[in-house]
Amino acid sequence: MSKLWGGRFTKKTDQLVEEYTASIMFDKELAEEDVQGSLAHVTMLGKQGILPADDVETIKQGLTRVLEKVRKGEIEFSVSDEDIHMNIEKTLIDDIGPVGGKLHTGRSRNDQVATDMHLYLRKRVVEFVELLHKLQAALIEQAKANLDTIVPGYTHLQRAQPILFAHHLMAYVSMFGRDAERLQDSYKRINTLPLGAGALAGTTFPIDRHFVASQLGFDRVYENSLDAVSDRDFILEFLSHASIIMMHLSRLSEELILWSSTEFHFVELDDAFCTGSSIMPQKKNPDVPELVRGKTGRVYGNLIGLLTVLKSLPLAYNKDMQEDKEGMFDTVRTLQGALQLFAPMIATMKVNKDRMRQAVNQDFSNATDIADFLVGKGLPFRQAHEVIGKTVLYCIQQNKYLLDLTLDEFKQFSDLFDDRIYEVLQPEQVVNARNVYGGTARSQVAEAIARAEREQDQTAAWVKEYSERSQ
Ligand code: ARG
């Protein structure tokens, strides 16, 4: 059979043009969604009396057979049928005969492809919320196991103030929580039905768009037919949310890479998540975080790519928009890979508590607290800062830490020092003194963990509800 749109043409399409314009190589991934959309569409055509009931029945049975064949890998998709929509329609017509040609009544590939992508992405969004939830759970478990582990906290990658390692991990739980929230919020925009917009202007048939929406579990339909077929904001939104998630993962990756170096030696990633060197037998490389850090680039690239495709595009559909798919699929795969690996990698990570403690004992990250001590004695903070700066300089020259100084040595810098400074300078004391909501004191971190666990329950309930709704 010739092209589904062949009537107007007198010549065969150039072979190179056929290959250049086809999208079947990648949009075959939308086969399930394409059939799902068609089943709802044809059901509606029957309900509205646009097609007779027996045609509708024949088409539905045919579509179900096509889907089975797709699932079994029995269909040989062909470039000359350009994309998934025409490959499926062609297979249907081959199977049930000319009645299959009635399926496309009142519909265009423009509203069809948009519908397929909405169906596809809403499933992925729910899966990603679930993957983020699992990663948060792994981080929370590690935080619970490290509620007494003190580690240097950094600014400018210089030791700043000691913090609980649990507190550091819980910062990522907050970050991934915002990521999940953004995806959940985007669901309502993804869950809007374009079908019924036709090519751009609507259709002359008395269709019922709201019926199709309810069949497919969409919350609403696009208000404007031009917008329905030219909107790709929902993909852009997903690509930007994915970029932010990758950015978060790449920050964590960078820390894991640093922490597992000999210089830090704060953590050890499980053997199962590392690889060796083909020449240096001693090496154990953190390839997974390195690759996640590296793959962040392609996810950003996919976002910038689609933004650029859409820039200045006149309404409504343009073939340029076929370029929305490969980047989206690539981002879905890249993000799936990263999140699937991160949860077990965090769960199995060994934390070197002794080494962290040793690091804390050998730094000046308690300096702020001793300045605060002098402030408590009535010294203005700026003067206290100056006094401690001098004290630290003295320590560096003497090759000592603050806790090594005698009271007499302290008193060279201020009369206000007394015995209690030895308690004030203890890392536990330094940490627990930061007893503000969201701070690193043990009791605050324990509460933060409890709050995060309550949120986890809510997210789990959301995932359960929405994974049923998005099928
Ligand atoms: N393969 C096309 C795409 O992905 C489907 C829509 C084609 N529409 C058209 N009028 N050529 O964008």
Side-chain angles (χ1 to χ4, degrees):
M1 194 166 119
S2 62
K3 301 265 187 232
L4 290 172
W5 43 253
R8 188 228 178 277
F9 289 78
T10 52
K11 267 189 169 178
K12 247 179 119 276
T13 319
D14 182 281
Q15 176 68 29
L16 285 176
V17 170
E18 225 168 44
E19 283 166 18
Y20 193 72
T21 54
S23 54
I24 185 63
M25 305 74 86
F26 45 87
D27 67 14
K28 58 183 182 213
E29 200 151 341
L30 296 170
E32 297 263 344
E33 287 76 13
D34 200 68
V35 172
Q36 192 183 1
S38 288
L39 283 169
H41 176 69
V42 77
T43 306
M44 179 277 291
L45 293 178
K47 177 186 94 73
Q48 296 298 96
I50 300 168
L51 290 189
D54 46 347
D55 286 355
V56 171
E57 204 37 50
T58 313
I59 293 173
K60 280 173 125 178
Q61 283 171 10
L63 280 170
T64 311
R65 276 195 299 275
V66 173
L67 187 57
E68 274 164 26
K69 281 193 202 155
V70 171
R71 285 183 178 152
K72 288 189 192 146
E74 284 172 11
I75 298 185
E76 248 184 64
F77 293 121
S78 117
V79 164
S80 69
D81 291 322
E82 196 179 321
D83 58 23
I84 187 63
H85 325 292
M86 291 200 291
N87 269 274
I88 286 184
E89 196 178 326
K90 190 83 169 288
T91 314
L92 176 73
I93 293 170
D94 287 347
D95 184 25
I96 62 174
V99 63
K102 295 188 178 185
L103 167 64
H104 211 52
T105 311
R107 183 177 80 169
S108 154
R109 269 186 299 155
N110 298 350
D111 55 350
Q112 187 180 357
V113 69
T115 302
D116 291 3
M117 284 190 297
H118 280 267
L119 287 168
Y120 170 85
L121 212 47
R122 74 178 187 186
K123 289 182 211 159
R124 302 293 89 79
V125 156
V126 178
E127 288 164 8
F128 282 125
V129 172
E130 189 172 14
L131 284 170
L132 285 165
H133 175 268
K134 286 189 177 146
L135 174 54
Q136 284 182 305
L139 286 161
I140 291 172
E141 281 314 303
Q142 277 288 7
K144 282 174 152 176
N146 285 285
L147 253 180
D148 294 303
T149 310
I150 302 182
V151 69
Y154 296 81
T155 63
H156 310 265
L157 206 55
Q158 305 288 324
R159 306 262 179 102
Q161 291 170 350
I163 53 171
L164 292 185
F165 188 52
H167 193 50
H168 196 118
L169 295 172
M170 290 305 290
Y172 283 100
V173 172
S174 290
M175 289 146 82
F176 294 125
R178 284 196 296 278
D179 292 334
E181 202 177 283
R182 268 186 281 272
L183 289 175
Q184 286 170 297
D185 183 66
S186 73
Y187 191 92
K188 57 176 175 281
R189 283 174 293 283
I190 300 177
N191 210 28
T192 306
L193 176 74
L195 207 64
L200 75 164
T203 171
T204 55
F205 294 95
I207 60 167
D208 182 348
R209 297 185 65 203
H210 293 93
F211 174 78
V212 178
S214 73
Q215 287 264 297
L216 292 172
F218 282 98
D219 294 321
R220 52 187 182 176
V221 304
Y222 272 87
E223 288 295 313
N224 180 294
S225 62
L226 289 172
D227 182 41
V229 287
S230 38
D231 175 36
R232 295 294 181 270
D233 296 0
F234 66 106
I235 303 179
L236 283 175
E237 238 184 283
F238 167 69
L239 295 176
S240 42
H241 297 160
S243 296
I244 297 175
I245 299 172
M246 287 302 286
M247 179 272 287
H248 288 156
L249 287 172
S250 79
R251 294 181 79 166
L252 182 51
S253 294
E254 176 70 13
E255 301 211 286
L256 293 175
I257 294 163
L258 278 175
W259 291 342
S260 47
S261 66
T262 310
E263 285 71 12
F264 274 83
H265 199 42
F266 283 178
V267 301
E268 186 178 347
L269 299 179
D270 194 79
D271 277 4
F273 295 92
C274 293
T275 58
S277 156
S278 57
I279 172 167
M280 297 165 282
Q282 84 286 7
K283 291 293 292 288
K284 176 170 161 183
N285 296 328
D287 283 31
V288 171
E290 287 176 278
L291 259 182
V292 167
R293 190 176 57 180
K295 283 178 187 287
T296 303
R298 68 199 286 160
V299 173
Y300 291 3
N302 292 334
L303 169 63
I304 301 297
L306 184 58
L307 278 169
T308 313
V309 166
L310 295 169
K311 176 186 174 296
S312 317
L313 266 194
L315 301 186
Y317 179 84
N318 301 270
K319 185 75 170 181
D320 313 43
M321 290 164 78
Q322 183 167 287
E323 285 293 303
D324 59 2
K325 288 174 201 60
E326 284 163 289
M328 176 181 76
F329 293 139
D330 182 68
T331 289
V332 165
R333 269 189 294 274
T334 307
L335 194 59
Q336 272 169 350
L339 287 171
Q340 277 164 359
L341 283 172
F342 249 74
M345 187 172 68
I346 293 292
T348 54
M349 172 181 83
K350 265 206 249 115
V351 177
N352 197 344
K353 300 183 185 187
D354 294 342
R355 169 69 195 126
M356 288 178 174
R357 183 59 192 218
Q358 199 188 349
V360 167
N361 288 343
Q362 291 177 351
D363 70 12
F364 293 99
S365 59
N366 44 7
T368 316
D369 291 70
I370 195 164
D372 288 352
F373 172 84
L374 294 180
V375 170
K377 295 272 187 173
L379 198 64
F381 181 76
R382 275 295 146 230
Q383 283 179 39
H385 189 288
E386 174 79 13
V387 168
I388 304 304
K390 292 222 159 67
T391 316
V392 167
L393 183 63
Y394 171 81
C395 284
I396 293 168
Q397 284 159 353
Q398 300 289 313
N399 205 13
K400 290 178 172 176
Y401 295 102
L402 287 167
L403 273 168
D404 301 330
L405 299 186
T406 64
L407 192 54
D408 283 344
E409 282 175 300
F410 272 117
K411 282 196 183 284
Q412 292 169 34
F413 300 96
S414 168
D415 286 343
L416 296 171
F417 285 119
D418 64 42
D419 275 356
R420 280 195 298 128
I421 55 173
Y422 293 104
E423 198 197 316
V424 166
L425 284 171
Q426 291 302 327
E428 279 72 15
Q429 172 59 31
V430 173
V431 164
N432 286 324
R434 275 140 186 94
N435 193 15
V436 295
Y437 189 99
T440 195
R442 193 186 191 283
S443 58
Q444 294 292 347
V445 177
E447 276 176 34
I449 291 175
R451 287 195 296 273
E453 286 186 314
R454 285 199 290 277
E455 257 176 48
Q456 284 264 293
D457 293 343
Q458 284 171 13
T459 313
W462 187 93
V463 168
K464 192 168 178 300
E465 183 188 339
Y466 280 77
S467 49
E468 279 157 24
R469 285 178 57 172
S470 62
Q471 283 319 301

